[in-house]
Amino acid sequence: MPDMSASASLAMTHLVSFAKEVDEDKVTPGVLGFIVFAAMALAVWALMKSMSRHMNRVDFTQVPDPKAEQPEQTPADADAEPAQAEPSGQAGKKQG
C-alpha cells in the first residue's frame, strides 16, 4: 500500500465504514432531488396562476353573425335569381 498520511488513513477508514452503512439496494433522491422537485412545483404553480390570469381577461361573449340572420331562400326564390355571368375567358367562345 502506498505511503499515506495519518489523516488520509483516518478519512479512508471513515469512508469505508460509511459505505458499509449505505444499503446498495436503496436509492434515495436526497436533498438535490427535493430541491429539483420543489423548483418544478413552484414553476407549475406560477404557470397555473399566469394562465388563470390570462383566461380571466378573455371575453367569451359571442357576437351573432349578421349573415346567419338572413332568411333562407325557398325553391321558388332560387328560380328567380339571375343566371351567373360566364367567366371572362369563355364569353366570346363558341362551344363545339
Side-chain angles (χ1 to χ4, degrees):
M1 186 168 209
D3 207 15
M4 289 197 282
S5 66
S7 60
S9 176
L10 183 62
M12 288 299 289
T13 306
H14 286 294
L15 285 176
V16 170
S17 65
F18 178 70
K20 288 180 183 176
E21 292 176 16
V22 175
D23 188 7
E24 293 178 7
D25 295 332
K26 291 184 182 177
V27 178
T28 61
V31 176
L32 180 63
F34 174 75
I35 291 171
V36 169
F37 182 78
M40 287 175 42
L42 285 173
V44 168
W45 177 79
L47 286 170
M48 294 282 287
K49 189 169 179 90
S50 174
M51 184 186 67
S52 176
R53 208 176 309 131
H54 282 85
M55 291 300 286
N56 286 335
R57 292 181 187 168
V58 175
D59 184 21
F60 285 108
T61 56
Q62 185 175 4
V63 178
D65 188 14
K67 293 180 181 178
E69 294 178 5
Q70 294 177 352
E72 294 184 20
Q73 293 181 344
T74 61
D77 293 339
D79 295 337
E81 284 186 24
Q84 294 181 351
E86 292 182 5
S88 61
Q90 301 291 329
K93 295 183 181 177
K94 293 182 180 180
Q95 292 181 355

